[in-house]
Amino acid sequence: MEEDLRYLLLGYRKYTKTTQRELARTLDIPLYTYTALEMGSFKQPSEHLLGKIKALTAEFNQDDLKHIGRGYWIKDELGPDFKYFLKGLEEEKGVDLKELGEMPSEECLQAIGSVDIDEFDVLEIGRTL
């Protein structure tokens, strides 16, 4: 769980349309701790905190939340280069960009986050097209 914790939290936050501040309050942790968790820089959360996170997200499909979070992370991380990532995804995985563009935003980002390939490799493929 810990390696995908940042994606799980980001996916949960985006899916439930809550803020980092609200989730920090819910988990009873400082905002800077929550932010570090979501950024992946908080490497060893306590078992108590992991239990709170597990309880918070228990009613949702964990993989779906992780994929949503990873999709949002990829889009934010790549910024204006995201268009090249999409081109690379089409080339490498045969993803239909038109179909992807017709999906609701969250569903689209979940699909993007579920692709099991390094996003920077896909980006480089897209840049060469």
Side-chain angles (χ1 to χ4, degrees), residues 70 93 112-118:
R70 184 168 182 258
K93 291 291 187 175
I112 289 167
S114 69
V115 175
D116 190 23
I117 188 168
D118 183 83

Side-chain angles (χ1 to χ4, degrees), residues 15-29:
Y15 187 78
T16 60
K17 297 176 180 33
T18 53
T19 65
Q20 289 182 338
R21 186 173 309 283
E22 289 169 328
L23 287 177
R25 240 183 260 128
T26 299
L27 294 170
D28 195 29
I29 58 175

Side-chain angles (χ1 to χ4, degrees), residues 16-128:
T16 60
K17 297 176 180 33
T18 53
T19 65
Q20 289 182 338
R21 186 173 309 283
E22 289 169 328
L23 287 177
R25 240 183 260 128
T26 299
L27 294 170
D28 195 29
I29 58 175
L31 178 58
Y32 65 84
T33 300
Y34 179 84
T35 303
L37 284 166
E38 200 172 280
M39 290 175 55
S41 60
F42 194 91
K43 297 295 183 191
Q44 296 180 332
S46 68
E47 289 299 318
H48 180 69
L49 179 55
L50 289 174
K52 286 181 176 183
I53 293 168
K54 188 174 182 176
L56 179 70
T57 61
E59 69 182 86
F60 301 95
N61 180 304
Q62 304 290 294
D63 287 332
D64 288 349
L65 290 178
K66 289 174 190 175
H67 293 155
I68 291 167
R70 184 168 182 258
Y72 272 99
W73 183 86
I74 290 170
K75 186 176 181 189
D76 289 346
E77 184 71 16
L78 298 180
D81 287 340
F82 185 64
K83 62 184 176 239
Y84 298 115
F85 171 83
L86 292 174
K87 287 179 182 181
L89 202 55
E90 182 178 43
E91 177 73 19
E92 190 66 16
K93 291 291 187 175
V95 173
D96 183 348
L97 296 184
K98 184 176 186 229
E99 185 179 317
L100 204 60
E102 292 172 352
M103 291 179 176
S105 178
E106 201 161 88
E107 189 178 326
C108 174
L109 291 170
Q110 179 180 351
I112 289 167
S114 69
V115 175
D116 190 23
I117 188 168
D118 183 83
E119 56 274 3
F120 295 104
D121 290 342
V122 176
L123 174 65
E124 288 306 313
I125 291 166
R127 281 186 174 149
T128 63

